[in-house]
Amino acid sequence: MAAQHSDAVTAAIADRRRLVNEALPDDVPIVFPERLYEASRYLLDAGGKRLRPTMVLLAGEAIADVDPLSEDYREFPLAGGIDLMAAAVSIEIVQTFTLIHDDIMDDDEMRRGVPAVHEEFDLETAILAGDTLYSKAFENLLETGAAAEHSVRALSELAATCTEICEGQTIDIGFEDQDAITEAEYLEMVERKTAVLYGASAAMPALLAGADDYVDPLYNFGIDVGKAFQIQDDLLDLTASTETLGKRRGSDLAENKQTIVTVHARQQGVDVTDLVPDDDISAIDEATVEEAIERLEAVGSIDYARDLAHDHVASGRDHLQALPDNEARDRLGDIAEYFVEREY
Amino acid sequence: MAAQHSDAVTAAIADRRRLVNEALPDDVPIVFPERLYEASRYLLDAGGKRLRPTMVLLAGEAIADVDPLSEDYREFPLAGGIDLMAAAVSIEIVQTFTLIHDDIMDDDEMRRGVPAVHEEFDLETAILAGDTLYSKAFENLLETGAAAEHSVRALSELAATCTEICEGQTIDIGFEDQDAITEAEYLEMVERKTAVLYGASAAMPALLAGADDYVDPLYNFGIDVGKAFQIQDDLLDLTASTETLGKRRGSDLAENKQTIVTVHARQQGVDVTDLVPDDDISAIDEATVEEAIERLEAVGSIDYARDLAHDHVASGRDHLQALPDNEARDRLGDIAEYFVEREY
């Protein structure tokens, strides 16, 4: 990606992140009982790149064919005027609820540089905070002011997406006890665990506006780049520095997680399970991790994953051709590139 | 309650329970990944009285002014025909998801005579099963075939109800560290933790049919009898036999839970915290529990709770006067009585 594109996409995300951050306290206010809402807001307030709500907002600008950041997201010129920000926040809320529950399941102690919600508060409060955000996401999506028949479709999409995320998580957990996962199985898991929420993000403005022609192209764009996003996440676990990751690299290998890299390596005859022979990365010396990664590089698995991520980005960008040719559409394409270029 | 009423209400619940039980596998099928859906269905299939879905179905019959059980719940004659059973199942799904997550929070090992979901499966699967049922409830409520503007109101009610349940749980947990809870505070907690789902159950047919005149009376009926239900639950913990309860009576006292009985007793100067001086009921001999309950009886707290439950039932039944005078409405009133007469 050329430097100017890189700057444009960084700015596009930063501008919308700021607006989303401003909107969050309005849409998820801290009310009685305060402890519940403080826990619900804790991870929301701890940061995050806000990539999914950014995608909602940009997709809205693309199909409304307006200049980026020229319109008030709270009174956005689609279908007579809708609160597009409410939909964007709704998606971020869903993402946050899944993280809170994931951290309980994985017993992860840190998230976004702060203690996980179940660490900062307690298990009960963390489960309830996740459950509260879950319904808040639906409540918020009901506040866009869209026509009822469009709201119903948007809610249906959000509910189906939440179900699929749970399915994807379950499939992913099941993979840890299986050796021979095919690439198709891996990609199906990633589609549900990660990509459907990007699909819902991109399609949401079209659903709320009843802009039927744009629903499928935007959804498919989100699915493709969502898969690319996850593949890049898998790659970063192997290639990024400990400093950038905030944890030791290779931890997925230690935990025997299935990634596209390990799926490919197994097909090349690599005994992936024994590459890093301990569940706990902190018990492994750096040389062993280095050697494992060199082996994955040698059999071409890292390049294969990188190529596959780029293929998905290209496929995703193709779907955008169905949209009006405008700056917002270009930024959506840039974000897709950013997903596979990012280093954290 | 006269014996003939009692028989009629028992039959009314049993008939609808059977139909709800038949509907569940259609509305929550076991699909891939099977482990997730087996866990999601586990507690649903373990039984339950189905009081909330029964209330949905009876309220529908009352406002449609049709003879009980004379119509197909899947093509129910309200607003041109809706799948009322889908709404009833949706409510039961919400109740089940809260139980699965509650059992994790309380680390309860048994529920409905079978191991809790996190015991039968594992913590990860139980959290995910609850989360899956959560979105399934919304998906199901979108399948009633109601007009979009009515579906939106029904979904909004369901989402708000889920949020309030989480709030009520949080308030209840907070009570365990507080001594002086007022009756108003207790009833506010019960309204959110328990009663709002009964309110939503009763109001749901009117919301889906756009029968605006019946929404508030039915909601308020549900709120009142939901509170009565919870007060009766609190009473049963003190008055029912260990055999009926499936656990030692007095366990709420041991765990220092706030109930209307303890709130009242404290106002009479009873040192409730020391009545059963251990967190674990199994460490307490039966004589101590017996003595504690006699003390609560002596200061009038048990009678007070019983009267309060009956007052709420009477208030709830008054709201039903706004409905057409028919057999289904009578059965709704009978169910309210059943809530405070039941012995388990």
Side-chain angles (χ1 to χ4, degrees):
Chain A
M1 182 161 55
Q4 73 215 50
H5 278 161
S6 176
D7 289 349
V9 71
T10 307
I13 296 169
D15 288 338
R16 285 164 188 80
R17 178 168 58 232
R18 183 175 48 77
L19 294 169
V20 170
N21 289 347
E22 283 172 18
L24 281 169
D26 293 329
D27 287 15
V28 191
I30 293 177
V31 293
F32 177 76
E34 285 77 9
R35 184 176 166 84
L36 176 66
Y37 286 98
E38 284 161 5
S40 301
R41 278 273 296 280
Y42 185 73
L43 186 55
L44 273 173
D45 291 349
K49 294 192 278 289
R50 317 294 189 205
L51 295 175
R52 296 164 193 81
T54 290
M55 200 177 271
V56 175
L57 299 172
L58 269 175
E61 291 172 322
I63 65 170
D65 205 12
V66 298
D67 286 339
L69 300 171
S70 64
E71 301 286 342
D72 183 350
Y73 289 127
R74 291 290 193 188
E75 296 175 20
F76 195 75
L78 271 177
I82 60 171
D83 182 350
L84 190 61
M85 181 58 82
V89 168
S90 168
I91 295 279
E92 185 70 7
I93 293 174
V94 166
Q95 168 66 6
T96 304
F97 120 68
T98 66
L99 294 179
I100 292 174
H101 282 186
D102 281 1
D103 287 343
I104 297 170
M105 293 189 265
D106 298 341
D107 204 12
D108 281 336
E109 290 175 12
M110 299 289 289
R111 170 74 72 174
R112 292 180 178 164
V114 296
V117 176
H118 66 279
E119 291 283 329
E120 180 68 18
F121 295 82
D122 51 54
L123 175 70
E124 289 171 307
T125 308
I127 290 178
L128 286 169
D131 289 345
T132 302
L133 290 173
Y134 209 148
S135 46
K136 278 278 162 194
F138 286 93
E139 289 189 77
N140 227 48
L141 193 55
L142 282 157
E143 297 293 327
T144 63
E149 66 263 37
H150 303 152
S151 278
V152 162
R153 284 185 62 195
L155 284 163
S156 183
E157 184 60 44
L158 191 70
T161 298
C162 291
T163 301
E164 288 180 297
I165 292 171
C166 294
E167 291 172 351
Q169 283 280 4
T170 306
I171 299 168
D172 194 20
I173 292 167
F175 278 180
E176 285 167 35
D177 302 322
Q178 284 174 268
D179 261 359
I181 304 299
T182 66
E183 181 175 314
E185 287 171 323
Y186 170 81
L187 288 174
E188 189 191 354
M189 180 277 287
V190 166
E191 176 162 334
R192 300 191 204 199
K193 187 180 80 163
T194 305
V196 290
L197 193 55
Y198 282 103
S201 300
M204 203 47 80
L207 288 166
L208 289 168
D212 291 355
D213 290 349
Y214 299 140
V215 171
D216 284 350
L218 280 166
Y219 186 78
N220 291 329
F221 164 75
I223 292 288
D224 276 334
V225 303
K227 287 180 186 169
F229 182 89
Q230 184 61 53
I231 293 168
Q232 180 69 7
D233 247 21
D234 295 345
L235 277 165
L236 287 174
D237 182 70
L238 297 171
T239 60
S241 66
T242 296
E243 199 181 349
T244 311
L245 282 175
K247 60 177 181 178
R248 286 277 302 280
R249 65 180 183 158
S251 60
D252 286 353
L253 281 181
E255 292 164 19
N256 206 22
K257 285 193 70 173
Q258 301 282 352
T259 70
I260 192 65
V261 177
T262 63
V263 167
H264 181 271
R266 259 200 197 89
Q267 285 166 349
Q268 312 312 308
V270 178
D271 184 352
V272 177
T273 314
D274 283 349
L275 276 179
V276 176
D278 199 298
D279 274 4
D280 183 4
I281 189 72
S282 64
I284 307 284
D285 61 83
E286 178 61 27
T288 304
V289 175
E290 185 68 34
E291 206 174 305
I293 293 167
E294 276 168 17
R295 179 99 172 90
L296 294 171
E297 267 169 357
V299 295
S301 300
I302 298 215
D303 282 343
Y304 182 81
R306 206 163 267 144
D307 288 348
L308 191 66
H310 281 279
D311 288 349
H312 277 93
V313 167
S315 166
R317 297 191 69 153
D318 280 348
H319 293 296
L320 294 181
Q321 296 304 313
L323 271 58
D325 181 4
N326 57 35
E327 198 184 330
R329 186 183 80 169
D330 291 346
R331 286 296 89 75
L332 276 178
D334 293 343
I335 283 186
E337 297 291 345
Y338 165 80
F339 276 16
V340 293
E341 300 292 344
R342 72 199 165 91
E343 282 165 8
Y344 66 97
Chain B
M1 183 160 54
Q4 73 213 50
H5 279 161
S6 177
D7 289 349
V9 70
T10 307
I13 296 170
D15 289 339
R16 286 165 187 80
R17 178 169 57 233
R18 182 175 48 76
L19 294 168
V20 170
N21 288 347
E22 283 172 20
L24 282 168
D26 293 330
D27 287 14
V28 190
I30 292 177
V31 295
F32 177 75
E34 284 77 10
R35 184 177 166 83
L36 176 64
Y37 286 98
E38 284 161 5
S40 302
R41 279 272 296 281
Y42 186 72
L43 187 55
L44 273 173
D45 290 350
K49 293 192 279 290
R50 318 295 189 206
L51 294 176
R52 296 164 193 81
T54 290
M55 200 176 272
V56 175
L57 299 172
L58 269 175
E61 291 173 322
I63 65 168
D65 204 12
V66 298
D67 286 339
L69 301 170
S70 64
E71 301 286 342
D72 182 349
Y73 289 128
R74 291 290 193 191
E75 295 175 21
F76 195 76
L78 271 177
I82 60 171
D83 183 349
L84 189 61
M85 181 58 82
V89 168
S90 166
I91 295 279
E92 185 70 7
I93 293 174
V94 166
Q95 167 66 4
T96 304
F97 118 68
T98 66
L99 294 179
I100 293 174
H101 282 186
D102 280 1
D103 287 342
I104 296 171
M105 293 189 264
D106 298 341
D107 203 12
D108 282 335
E109 291 176 11
M110 299 290 288
R111 169 74 71 173
R112 292 177 178 167
V114 296
V117 176
H118 67 279
E119 291 284 328
E120 179 67 20
F121 295 82
D122 52 54
L123 175 70
E124 289 171 306
T125 307
I127 290 178
L128 286 168
D131 290 345
T132 302
L133 290 173
Y134 209 149
S135 46
K136 278 279 161 192
F138 286 94
E139 289 189 76
N140 227 48
L141 193 55
L142 283 156
E143 297 293 326
T144 63
E149 67 263 37
H150 303 152
S151 279
V152 162
R153 284 185 60 195
L155 284 163
S156 183
E157 184 60 45
L158 192 71
T161 298
C162 291
T163 300
E164 288 178 299
I165 292 171
C166 295
E167 292 172 351
Q169 284 280 4
T170 305
I171 299 168
D172 195 20
I173 292 167
F175 278 179
E176 285 167 36
D177 303 323
Q178 284 175 265
D179 262 357
I181 304 299
T182 66
E183 181 175 314
E185 287 172 324
Y186 170 80
L187 287 174
E188 188 190 356
M189 180 277 287
V190 166
E191 175 162 334
R192 300 192 204 197
K193 188 179 80 162
T194 306
V196 290
L197 193 55
Y198 282 103
S201 299
M204 202 48 81
L207 288 165
L208 289 167
D212 290 355
D213 289 348
Y214 299 139
V215 171
D216 284 350
L218 280 166
Y219 186 78
N220 291 329
F221 164 75
I223 291 289
D224 277 334
V225 303
K227 286 180 187 170
F229 182 89
Q230 184 61 54
I231 293 168
Q232 180 69 7
D233 248 20
D234 295 346
L235 277 166
L236 286 174
D237 183 71
L238 297 171
T239 60
S241 68
T242 296
E243 200 181 347
T244 312
L245 281 174
K247 59 177 181 179
R248 285 277 302 281
R249 65 181 183 156
S251 61
D252 287 352
L253 281 180
E255 291 164 19
N256 207 22
K257 284 192 72 174
Q258 302 281 353
T259 70
I260 192 65
V261 177
T262 63
V263 167
H264 180 271
R266 259 201 197 90
Q267 285 166 350
Q268 311 313 308
V270 178
D271 184 352
V272 176
T273 316
D274 283 348
L275 275 180
V276 177
D278 199 297
D279 274 3
D280 183 3
I281 188 72
S282 64
I284 307 286
D285 61 83
E286 178 60 26
T288 304
V289 175
E290 186 67 37
E291 204 175 308
I293 293 168
E294 276 168 19
R295 178 101 173 89
L296 295 170
E297 268 169 357
V299 296
S301 300
I302 297 211
D303 283 343
Y304 182 82
R306 207 164 264 143
D307 288 347
L308 191 67
H310 281 279
D311 289 349
H312 277 93
V313 167
S315 165
R317 295 189 71 153
D318 280 347
H319 293 296
L320 294 181
Q321 296 304 314
L323 271 58
D325 180 4
N326 56 35
E327 198 184 330
R329 186 184 79 170
D330 291 344
R331 286 296 90 74
L332 276 177
D334 293 344
I335 284 186
E337 298 290 346
Y338 166 80
F339 276 16
V340 293
E341 300 293 343
R342 71 198 165 92
E343 282 166 6
Y344 64 96

